[in-house]
Amino acid sequence: MLNKPVLVESLIVFVIVLFVHAVVWDRYSWCAVALAVQAFYVQFKWDHLLQLGGAVFQFRTAANSGLLPASMVIPLLGIAMKERCKSAGIVYFERFGIVVASAGMLVALFLSVIAVGITKPVPTNTCILTGVAGSIIIYTMKHSLTVSEVIEVLEVLLIFVYLSMILLYLLPRCFTPGEALLVLGGMSFILNQLIKRSLNVIEDRGDPIDFFLLVAVVGVVVLGLFFTVLFVFMDSGTWISSMFFHMMTAVLGLGVIMPWLYRLIQRNPLFWLLQFLFQTQTRVYLLVYWTLLAASACGIVFYQNAKRSSESKKHQASTITRKYFHFIVVATYVPGLIYDRQLLYVAAVLCLAVFIFLEYIRYFRIKPFGQTLRHLLSLFLDERDSGPLILTHIYLLLGMSLPVWLFPRPCAPKGTLSGAGALVPYSGVLAVGVGDTIASIFGSTMGEIKWPGTKKTFEGTMTAIFAQIIAVALILIFDSNVNLNSSYAWILASVSLVSLLEAYTTQIDNLLLPLYLQIMFM
């Protein structure tokens, strides 16, 4: 029996794909349509495998596979980037957009082939459909990509395969297949770009802050893999292991990551970072303001834990309490987007590295703070934190930061895109900070009419759309760089579709919604 919420979620994704196809209308958008059709059928095979426990790895069970919405994100981002850079006349990044779209399609096809291959009996019709879609995509790649671009796409696929085998084994029940596709696919691109740029430092055309993102992400992942292997042979909760953890972190940071970053940016990374952070008075004011907000977030965590009585050890924070952090994040990102986006870019990278490092300390029970972090954060767990890692706060940071990191700066001559594209950096603020927050608060307190098959309410979705439109109006008032050029109907359609997707998806909305809103705006 087909799951109605999944059908509605799929319909919304199809509408977004067709919107992009109608605007772009080239061979790549046709490939995206073919990929969407086959992913729609294959995701039901994944759902069946998850219900029977027949998937290769242990995935998160409280949600459907999410293959269709996840499969379309990277290809559509690549297509949108290609079109934006083509209109700006930047050939290098136009070709890069084509590589991103092609690699995203190939990685999504790989997950589809896995599902079809392990389904018993073999689903003949789905196999044929996957084969046809794969043939269309490979034929298009053959006639569109140069030899070096084909190699780059295959490198991304190879890295994705190895990362999947390692991380999905080490982190059971942390992801659905769709979330794994998004997270591991993104990490594969980052690792591939870092290797490519490390080998071509002299001829590379990158900005130091881009290198900073690549090295920081790869560095914390390598750090985690190293300690995972190490603590197979040691008890991570002892003082000796904890001292070794801190010592090896310093050795890897100063002996591997810093020299690597020095090679890429051709200057001392610490001096560059300090000079960058305190370059202007505006940056100093922003850093002080963000420090106060971080202190207030810590204060909320301590206060909520203090309220937890000894009789109610299983007490969990309410939805409204968790949304306090969404308000704090909005208050953090909006001034950065208005006054200094480069500083926000670097600060978000630093914050991501700190969040992941603290999660390592909590997960491995590293003294002296590991057990304390476990106790403090257990209050804010929800059904999506079913694996060994707590990832919801990291997803929130990623959802707000990805539109800033993925903004095609080289293809925006004056630092901003025209029309709805001017709102691309605000996609996370609108979708997660405003839309998702308002929908949760109003839906849980005032909502009565539920969307069929879900716990989400009609009132929550409508107030989310209304709140995002108000937020767009405020952005127009306070950010002089934003000029929408009468693209209000497109913005309303984009916000409405993503709000409906929030109502029906069971995936991590903090990660999925900003990316789809960014695609629509681009």
Side-chain angles (χ1 to χ4, degrees), residues 84-118:
R84 280 292 181 177
C85 295
K86 181 180 179 181
S87 61
I90 312 295
V91 177
Y92 177 83
F93 286 98
E94 179 191 346
R95 299 303 304 176
F96 180 68
I98 294 172
V99 169
V100 170
S102 302
M105 292 178 190
L106 214 56
V107 166
L109 273 175
F110 172 76
L111 264 192
S112 297
V113 170
I114 291 292
V116 170
I118 60 179

PDB file of all heavy atoms in Angstrom, residues 84-118:
ATOM      1  N   ARG A  84      23.359  30.235 -13.800  1.00  0.00           N
ATOM      2  CA  ARG A  84      23.753  31.542 -13.266  1.00  0.00           C
ATOM      3  C   ARG A  84      25.121  31.961 -13.803  1.00  0.00           C
ATOM      4  O   ARG A  84      25.338  33.110 -14.182  1.00  0.00           O
ATOM      5  CB  ARG A  84      23.784  31.497 -11.734  1.00  0.00           C
ATOM      6  CG  ARG A  84      22.415  31.624 -11.100  1.00  0.00           C
ATOM      7  CD  ARG A  84      21.843  33.012 -11.332  1.00  0.00           C
ATOM      8  NE  ARG A  84      20.530  33.178 -10.721  1.00  0.00           N
ATOM      9  CZ  ARG A  84      19.843  34.311 -10.734  1.00  0.00           C
ATOM     10  NH1 ARG A  84      20.334  35.367 -11.357  1.00  0.00           N
ATOM     11  NH2 ARG A  84      18.667  34.394 -10.158  1.00  0.00           N
ATOM     12  N   CYS A  85      26.065  31.024 -13.807  1.00  0.00           N
ATOM     13  CA  CYS A  85      27.423  31.352 -14.263  1.00  0.00           C
ATOM     14  C   CYS A  85      27.484  31.507 -15.784  1.00  0.00           C
ATOM     15  O   CYS A  85      28.292  32.280 -16.307  1.00  0.00           O
ATOM     16  CB  CYS A  85      28.407  30.290 -13.793  1.00  0.00           C
ATOM     17  SG  CYS A  85      28.556  30.229 -11.987  1.00  0.00           S
ATOM     18  N   LYS A  86      26.607  30.806 -16.488  1.00  0.00           N
ATOM     19  CA  LYS A  86      26.533  30.971 -17.945  1.00  0.00           C
ATOM     20  C   LYS A  86      26.043  32.367 -18.299  1.00  0.00           C
ATOM     21  O   LYS A  86      26.581  33.033 -19.202  1.00  0.00           O
ATOM     22  CB  LYS A  86      25.588  29.915 -18.528  1.00  0.00           C
ATOM     23  CG  LYS A  86      25.446  29.970 -20.043  1.00  0.00           C
ATOM     24  CD  LYS A  86      24.484  28.880 -20.524  1.00  0.00           C
ATOM     25  CE  LYS A  86      24.302  28.939 -22.036  1.00  0.00           C
ATOM     26  NZ  LYS A  86      23.352  27.892 -22.497  1.00  0.00           N
ATOM     27  N   SER A  87      25.022  32.845 -17.578  1.00  0.00           N
ATOM     28  CA  SER A  87      24.498  34.188 -17.853  1.00  0.00           C
ATOM     29  C   SER A  87      25.501  35.266 -17.465  1.00  0.00           C
ATOM     30  O   SER A  87      25.511  36.356 -18.037  1.00  0.00           O
ATOM     31  CB  SER A  87      23.183  34.406 -17.098  1.00  0.00           C
ATOM     32  OG  SER A  87      23.390  34.303 -15.697  1.00  0.00           O
ATOM     33  N   ALA A  88      26.397  34.949 -16.491  1.00  0.00           N
ATOM     34  CA  ALA A  88      27.424  35.912 -16.089  1.00  0.00           C
ATOM     35  C   ALA A  88      28.676  35.816 -16.959  1.00  0.00           C
ATOM     36  O   ALA A  88      29.590  36.630 -16.826  1.00  0.00           O
ATOM     37  CB  ALA A  88      27.803  35.696 -14.622  1.00  0.00           C
ATOM     38  N   GLY A  89      28.724  34.787 -17.835  1.00  0.00           N
ATOM     39  CA  GLY A  89      29.869  34.629 -18.728  1.00  0.00           C
ATOM     40  C   GLY A  89      31.101  34.046 -18.056  1.00  0.00           C
ATOM     41  O   GLY A  89      32.213  34.184 -18.567  1.00  0.00           O
ATOM     42  N   ILE A  90      30.944  33.342 -16.928  1.00  0.00           N
ATOM     43  CA  ILE A  90      32.070  32.734 -16.212  1.00  0.00           C
ATOM     44  C   ILE A  90      32.131  31.254 -16.612  1.00  0.00           C
ATOM     45  O   ILE A  90      31.454  30.414 -16.023  1.00  0.00           O
ATOM     46  CB  ILE A  90      31.924  32.877 -14.687  1.00  0.00           C
ATOM     47  CG1 ILE A  90      31.565  34.315 -14.315  1.00  0.00           C
ATOM     48  CG2 ILE A  90      33.197  32.432 -13.982  1.00  0.00           C
ATOM     49  CD1 ILE A  90      32.633  35.329 -14.629  1.00  0.00           C
ATOM     50  N   VAL A  91      32.950  30.945 -17.628  1.00  0.00           N
ATOM     51  CA  VAL A  91      32.959  29.602 -18.214  1.00  0.00           C
ATOM     52  C   VAL A  91      33.464  28.557 -17.219  1.00  0.00           C
ATOM     53  O   VAL A  91      32.925  27.441 -17.157  1.00  0.00           O
ATOM     54  CB  VAL A  91      33.836  29.588 -19.489  1.00  0.00           C
ATOM     55  CG1 VAL A  91      33.914  28.176 -20.067  1.00  0.00           C
ATOM     56  CG2 VAL A  91      33.277  30.548 -20.521  1.00  0.00           C
ATOM     57  N   TYR A  92      34.505  28.906 -16.441  1.00  0.00           N
ATOM     58  CA  TYR A  92      35.100  27.937 -15.504  1.00  0.00           C
ATOM     59  C   TYR A  92      34.047  27.393 -14.545  1.00  0.00           C
ATOM     60  O   TYR A  92      33.940  26.180 -14.337  1.00  0.00           O
ATOM     61  CB  TYR A  92      36.236  28.614 -14.728  1.00  0.00           C
ATOM     62  CG  TYR A  92      36.888  27.744 -13.693  1.00  0.00           C
ATOM     63  CD1 TYR A  92      37.887  26.844 -14.037  1.00  0.00           C
ATOM     64  CD2 TYR A  92      36.500  27.810 -12.346  1.00  0.00           C
ATOM     65  CE1 TYR A  92      38.493  26.035 -13.079  1.00  0.00           C
ATOM     66  CE2 TYR A  92      37.085  27.012 -11.387  1.00  0.00           C
ATOM     67  CZ  TYR A  92      38.087  26.122 -11.752  1.00  0.00           C
ATOM     68  OH  TYR A  92      38.662  25.324 -10.803  1.00  0.00           O
ATOM     69  N   PHE A  93      33.245  28.283 -13.949  1.00  0.00           N
ATOM     70  CA  PHE A  93      32.251  27.840 -12.977  1.00  0.00           C
ATOM     71  C   PHE A  93      30.988  27.300 -13.650  1.00  0.00           C
ATOM     72  O   PHE A  93      30.237  26.538 -13.035  1.00  0.00           O
ATOM     73  CB  PHE A  93      31.921  28.982 -12.012  1.00  0.00           C
ATOM     74  CG  PHE A  93      33.017  29.244 -11.026  1.00  0.00           C
ATOM     75  CD1 PHE A  93      33.931  30.260 -11.225  1.00  0.00           C
ATOM     76  CD2 PHE A  93      33.169  28.428  -9.911  1.00  0.00           C
ATOM     77  CE1 PHE A  93      34.956  30.487 -10.329  1.00  0.00           C
ATOM     78  CE2 PHE A  93      34.192  28.644  -9.012  1.00  0.00           C
ATOM     79  CZ  PHE A  93      35.096  29.669  -9.220  1.00  0.00           C
ATOM     80  N   GLU A  94      30.749  27.671 -14.900  1.00  0.00           N
ATOM     81  CA  GLU A  94      29.673  27.033 -15.658  1.00  0.00           C
ATOM     82  C   GLU A  94      29.985  25.554 -15.848  1.00  0.00           C
ATOM     83  O   GLU A  94      29.124  24.687 -15.641  1.00  0.00           O
ATOM     84  CB  GLU A  94      29.520  27.717 -17.015  1.00  0.00           C
ATOM     85  CG  GLU A  94      28.433  27.089 -17.875  1.00  0.00           C
ATOM     86  CD  GLU A  94      28.451  27.596 -19.314  1.00  0.00           C
ATOM     87  OE1 GLU A  94      29.117  28.617 -19.574  1.00  0.00           O
ATOM     88  OE2 GLU A  94      27.817  26.956 -20.168  1.00  0.00           O
ATOM     89  N   ARG A  95      31.248  25.254 -16.206  1.00  0.00           N
ATOM     90  CA  ARG A  95      31.653  23.857 -16.358  1.00  0.00           C
ATOM     91  C   ARG A  95      31.625  23.124 -15.010  1.00  0.00           C
ATOM     92  O   ARG A  95      31.264  21.943 -14.945  1.00  0.00           O
ATOM     93  CB  ARG A  95      33.068  23.778 -16.945  1.00  0.00           C
ATOM     94  CG  ARG A  95      33.243  24.383 -18.320  1.00  0.00           C
ATOM     95  CD  ARG A  95      32.319  23.768 -19.350  1.00  0.00           C
ATOM     96  NE  ARG A  95      32.464  22.319 -19.445  1.00  0.00           N
ATOM     97  CZ  ARG A  95      31.714  21.539 -20.214  1.00  0.00           C
ATOM     98  NH1 ARG A  95      30.738  22.072 -20.941  1.00  0.00           N
ATOM     99  NH2 ARG A  95      31.913  20.242 -20.261  1.00  0.00           N
ATOM    100  N   PHE A  96      31.994  23.840 -13.943  1.00  0.00           N
ATOM    101  CA  PHE A  96      31.957  23.229 -12.618  1.00  0.00           C
ATOM    102  C   PHE A  96      30.515  22.859 -12.235  1.00  0.00           C
ATOM    103  O   PHE A  96      30.271  21.802 -11.640  1.00  0.00           O
ATOM    104  CB  PHE A  96      32.545  24.183 -11.575  1.00  0.00           C
ATOM    105  CG  PHE A  96      32.549  23.624 -10.182  1.00  0.00           C
ATOM    106  CD1 PHE A  96      33.376  22.560  -9.849  1.00  0.00           C
ATOM    107  CD2 PHE A  96      31.715  24.140  -9.202  1.00  0.00           C
ATOM    108  CE1 PHE A  96      33.378  22.030  -8.555  1.00  0.00           C
ATOM    109  CE2 PHE A  96      31.713  23.626  -7.919  1.00  0.00           C
ATOM    110  CZ  PHE A  96      32.551  22.563  -7.592  1.00  0.00           C
ATOM    111  N   GLY A  97      29.547  23.719 -12.591  1.00  0.00           N
ATOM    112  CA  GLY A  97      28.146  23.402 -12.337  1.00  0.00           C
ATOM    113  C   GLY A  97      27.713  22.139 -13.057  1.00  0.00           C
ATOM    114  O   GLY A  97      26.961  21.314 -12.516  1.00  0.00           O
ATOM    115  N   ILE A  98      28.207  21.950 -14.289  1.00  0.00           N
ATOM    116  CA  ILE A  98      27.885  20.742 -15.054  1.00  0.00           C
ATOM    117  C   ILE A  98      28.476  19.508 -14.369  1.00  0.00           C
ATOM    118  O   ILE A  98      27.827  18.454 -14.278  1.00  0.00           O
ATOM    119  CB  ILE A  98      28.409  20.866 -16.503  1.00  0.00           C
ATOM    120  CG1 ILE A  98      27.653  21.977 -17.236  1.00  0.00           C
ATOM    121  CG2 ILE A  98      28.280  19.547 -17.249  1.00  0.00           C
ATOM    122  CD1 ILE A  98      28.218  22.310 -18.604  1.00  0.00           C
ATOM    123  N   VAL A  99      29.710  19.643 -13.859  1.00  0.00           N
ATOM    124  CA  VAL A  99      30.353  18.528 -13.145  1.00  0.00           C
ATOM    125  C   VAL A  99      29.558  18.183 -11.884  1.00  0.00           C
ATOM    126  O   VAL A  99      29.325  17.002 -11.581  1.00  0.00           O
ATOM    127  CB  VAL A  99      31.813  18.882 -12.796  1.00  0.00           C
ATOM    128  CG1 VAL A  99      32.405  17.852 -11.838  1.00  0.00           C
ATOM    129  CG2 VAL A  99      32.658  18.974 -14.061  1.00  0.00           C
ATOM    130  N   VAL A 100      29.132  19.212 -11.138  1.00  0.00           N
ATOM    131  CA  VAL A 100      28.339  18.983  -9.914  1.00  0.00           C
ATOM    132  C   VAL A 100      27.042  18.251 -10.248  1.00  0.00           C
ATOM    133  O   VAL A 100      26.677  17.266  -9.586  1.00  0.00           O
ATOM    134  CB  VAL A 100      28.043  20.323  -9.209  1.00  0.00           C
ATOM    135  CG1 VAL A 100      27.025  20.126  -8.077  1.00  0.00           C
ATOM    136  CG2 VAL A 100      29.328  20.939  -8.655  1.00  0.00           C
ATOM    137  N   ALA A 101      26.337  18.720 -11.275  1.00  0.00           N
ATOM    138  CA  ALA A 101      25.068  18.083 -11.661  1.00  0.00           C
ATOM    139  C   ALA A 101      25.291  16.635 -12.091  1.00  0.00           C
ATOM    140  O   ALA A 101      24.545  15.726 -11.687  1.00  0.00           O
ATOM    141  CB  ALA A 101      24.408  18.881 -12.789  1.00  0.00           C
ATOM    142  N   SER A 102      26.330  16.390 -12.896  1.00  0.00           N
ATOM    143  CA  SER A 102      26.599  15.038 -13.394  1.00  0.00           C
ATOM    144  C   SER A 102      26.977  14.096 -12.258  1.00  0.00           C
ATOM    145  O   SER A 102      26.481  12.964 -12.183  1.00  0.00           O
ATOM    146  CB  SER A 102      27.724  15.076 -14.442  1.00  0.00           C
ATOM    147  OG  SER A 102      27.389  15.928 -15.511  1.00  0.00           O
ATOM    148  N   ALA A 103      27.858  14.562 -11.367  1.00  0.00           N
ATOM    149  CA  ALA A 103      28.271  13.715 -10.240  1.00  0.00           C
ATOM    150  C   ALA A 103      27.093  13.441  -9.308  1.00  0.00           C
ATOM    151  O   ALA A 103      26.936  12.318  -8.802  1.00  0.00           O
ATOM    152  CB  ALA A 103      29.412  14.391  -9.476  1.00  0.00           C
ATOM    153  N   GLY A 104      26.248  14.449  -9.079  1.00  0.00           N
ATOM    154  CA  GLY A 104      25.068  14.243  -8.237  1.00  0.00           C
ATOM    155  C   GLY A 104      24.127  13.198  -8.810  1.00  0.00           C
ATOM    156  O   GLY A 104      23.584  12.358  -8.075  1.00  0.00           O
ATOM    157  N   MET A 105      23.935  13.236 -10.118  1.00  0.00           N
ATOM    158  CA  MET A 105      23.074  12.239 -10.764  1.00  0.00           C
ATOM    159  C   MET A 105      23.673  10.836 -10.667  1.00  0.00           C
ATOM    160  O   MET A 105      22.963   9.852 -10.418  1.00  0.00           O
ATOM    161  CB  MET A 105      22.860  12.611 -12.233  1.00  0.00           C
ATOM    162  CG  MET A 105      22.025  13.859 -12.434  1.00  0.00           C
ATOM    163  SD  MET A 105      21.849  14.273 -14.186  1.00  0.00           S
ATOM    164  CE  MET A 105      21.106  15.907 -14.068  1.00  0.00           C
ATOM    165  N   LEU A 106      24.988  10.741 -10.856  1.00  0.00           N
ATOM    166  CA  LEU A 106      25.641   9.430 -10.822  1.00  0.00           C
ATOM    167  C   LEU A 106      25.598   8.832  -9.414  1.00  0.00           C
ATOM    168  O   LEU A 106      25.359   7.622  -9.254  1.00  0.00           O
ATOM    169  CB  LEU A 106      27.097   9.574 -11.287  1.00  0.00           C
ATOM    170  CG  LEU A 106      27.682   8.387 -12.066  1.00  0.00           C
ATOM    171  CD1 LEU A 106      26.836   8.064 -13.284  1.00  0.00           C
ATOM    172  CD2 LEU A 106      29.112   8.676 -12.481  1.00  0.00           C
ATOM    173  N   VAL A 107      25.813   9.661  -8.388  1.00  0.00           N
ATOM    174  CA  VAL A 107      25.760   9.178  -7.005  1.00  0.00           C
ATOM    175  C   VAL A 107      24.338   8.714  -6.664  1.00  0.00           C
ATOM    176  O   VAL A 107      24.144   7.667  -6.023  1.00  0.00           O
ATOM    177  CB  VAL A 107      26.224  10.296  -6.042  1.00  0.00           C
ATOM    178  CG1 VAL A 107      25.871   9.951  -4.605  1.00  0.00           C
ATOM    179  CG2 VAL A 107      27.729  10.522  -6.171  1.00  0.00           C
ATOM    180  N   ALA A 108      23.319   9.484  -7.106  1.00  0.00           N
ATOM    181  CA  ALA A 108      21.926   9.087  -6.852  1.00  0.00           C
ATOM    182  C   ALA A 108      21.591   7.784  -7.571  1.00  0.00           C
ATOM    183  O   ALA A 108      20.906   6.912  -7.016  1.00  0.00           O
ATOM    184  CB  ALA A 108      20.985  10.208  -7.306  1.00  0.00           C
ATOM    185  N   LEU A 109      22.090   7.629  -8.799  1.00  0.00           N
ATOM    186  CA  LEU A 109      21.863   6.380  -9.544  1.00  0.00           C
ATOM    187  C   LEU A 109      22.511   5.196  -8.831  1.00  0.00           C
ATOM    188  O   LEU A 109      21.954   4.094  -8.809  1.00  0.00           O
ATOM    189  CB  LEU A 109      22.438   6.504 -10.958  1.00  0.00           C
ATOM    190  CG  LEU A 109      21.531   7.111 -12.022  1.00  0.00           C
ATOM    191  CD1 LEU A 109      22.293   7.267 -13.334  1.00  0.00           C
ATOM    192  CD2 LEU A 109      20.284   6.256 -12.238  1.00  0.00           C
ATOM    193  N   PHE A 110      23.685   5.425  -8.243  1.00  0.00           N
ATOM    194  CA  PHE A 110      24.369   4.355  -7.518  1.00  0.00           C
ATOM    195  C   PHE A 110      23.501   3.842  -6.369  1.00  0.00           C
ATOM    196  O   PHE A 110      23.358   2.624  -6.185  1.00  0.00           O
ATOM    197  CB  PHE A 110      25.717   4.868  -6.993  1.00  0.00           C
ATOM    198  CG  PHE A 110      26.408   3.908  -6.071  1.00  0.00           C
ATOM    199  CD1 PHE A 110      27.053   2.791  -6.565  1.00  0.00           C
ATOM    200  CD2 PHE A 110      26.390   4.115  -4.691  1.00  0.00           C
ATOM    201  CE1 PHE A 110      27.684   1.888  -5.699  1.00  0.00           C
ATOM    202  CE2 PHE A 110      27.017   3.228  -3.826  1.00  0.00           C
ATOM    203  CZ  PHE A 110      27.666   2.110  -4.330  1.00  0.00           C
ATOM    204  N   LEU A 111      22.908   4.766  -5.594  1.00  0.00           N
ATOM    205  CA  LEU A 111      22.029   4.338  -4.492  1.00  0.00           C
ATOM    206  C   LEU A 111      20.806   3.590  -5.024  1.00  0.00           C
ATOM    207  O   LEU A 111      20.330   2.639  -4.399  1.00  0.00           O
ATOM    208  CB  LEU A 111      21.583   5.552  -3.680  1.00  0.00           C
ATOM    209  CG  LEU A 111      22.373   5.904  -2.420  1.00  0.00           C
ATOM    210  CD1 LEU A 111      21.620   6.934  -1.598  1.00  0.00           C
ATOM    211  CD2 LEU A 111      22.656   4.682  -1.561  1.00  0.00           C
ATOM    212  N   SER A 112      20.290   4.016  -6.173  1.00  0.00           N
ATOM    213  CA  SER A 112      19.134   3.338  -6.769  1.00  0.00           C
ATOM    214  C   SER A 112      19.500   1.918  -7.192  1.00  0.00           C
ATOM    215  O   SER A 112      18.743   0.964  -6.962  1.00  0.00           O
ATOM    216  CB  SER A 112      18.633   4.127  -7.986  1.00  0.00           C
ATOM    217  OG  SER A 112      18.175   5.405  -7.605  1.00  0.00           O
ATOM    218  N   VAL A 113      20.664   1.760  -7.803  1.00  0.00           N
ATOM    219  CA  VAL A 113      21.106   0.434  -8.239  1.00  0.00           C
ATOM    220  C   VAL A 113      21.300  -0.488  -7.038  1.00  0.00           C
ATOM    221  O   VAL A 113      20.960  -1.680  -7.095  1.00  0.00           O
ATOM    222  CB  VAL A 113      22.419   0.556  -9.059  1.00  0.00           C
ATOM    223  CG1 VAL A 113      23.036  -0.813  -9.316  1.00  0.00           C
ATOM    224  CG2 VAL A 113      22.151   1.261 -10.381  1.00  0.00           C
ATOM    225  N   ILE A 114      21.826   0.054  -5.934  1.00  0.00           N
ATOM    226  CA  ILE A 114      21.983  -0.749  -4.708  1.00  0.00           C
ATOM    227  C   ILE A 114      20.633  -1.282  -4.250  1.00  0.00           C
ATOM    228  O   ILE A 114      20.484  -2.469  -3.937  1.00  0.00           O
ATOM    229  CB  ILE A 114      22.619   0.105  -3.591  1.00  0.00           C
ATOM    230  CG1 ILE A 114      24.076   0.428  -3.905  1.00  0.00           C
ATOM    231  CG2 ILE A 114      22.528  -0.613  -2.242  1.00  0.00           C
ATOM    232  CD1 ILE A 114      25.005  -0.748  -3.864  1.00  0.00           C
ATOM    233  N   ALA A 115      19.623  -0.380  -4.195  1.00  0.00           N
ATOM    234  CA  ALA A 115      18.291  -0.790  -3.725  1.00  0.00           C
ATOM    235  C   ALA A 115      17.690  -1.851  -4.638  1.00  0.00           C
ATOM    236  O   ALA A 115      17.131  -2.850  -4.174  1.00  0.00           O
ATOM    237  CB  ALA A 115      17.376   0.428  -3.643  1.00  0.00           C
ATOM    238  N   VAL A 116      17.804  -1.626  -5.943  1.00  0.00           N
ATOM    239  CA  VAL A 116      17.241  -2.586  -6.903  1.00  0.00           C
ATOM    240  C   VAL A 116      17.973  -3.924  -6.813  1.00  0.00           C
ATOM    241  O   VAL A 116      17.368  -4.997  -6.896  1.00  0.00           O
ATOM    242  CB  VAL A 116      17.326  -2.001  -8.338  1.00  0.00           C
ATOM    243  CG1 VAL A 116      16.983  -3.069  -9.369  1.00  0.00           C
ATOM    244  CG2 VAL A 116      16.377  -0.817  -8.473  1.00  0.00           C
ATOM    245  N   GLY A 117      19.285  -3.873  -6.602  1.00  0.00           N
ATOM    246  CA  GLY A 117      20.086  -5.093  -6.579  1.00  0.00           C
ATOM    247  C   GLY A 117      19.811  -5.990  -5.388  1.00  0.00           C
ATOM    248  O   GLY A 117      19.925  -7.217  -5.501  1.00  0.00           O
ATOM    249  N   ILE A 118      19.469  -5.400  -4.232  1.00  0.00           N
ATOM    250  CA  ILE A 118      19.264  -6.229  -3.034  1.00  0.00           C
ATOM    251  C   ILE A 118      17.794  -6.524  -2.772  1.00  0.00           C
ATOM    252  O   ILE A 118      17.460  -7.189  -1.792  1.00  0.00           O
ATOM    253  CB  ILE A 118      19.885  -5.566  -1.780  1.00  0.00           C
ATOM    254  CG1 ILE A 118      19.260  -4.197  -1.501  1.00  0.00           C
ATOM    255  CG2 ILE A 118      21.394  -5.439  -1.927  1.00  0.00           C
ATOM    256  CD1 ILE A 118      19.814  -3.519  -0.257  1.00  0.00           C
TER     257      ILE A 118
END
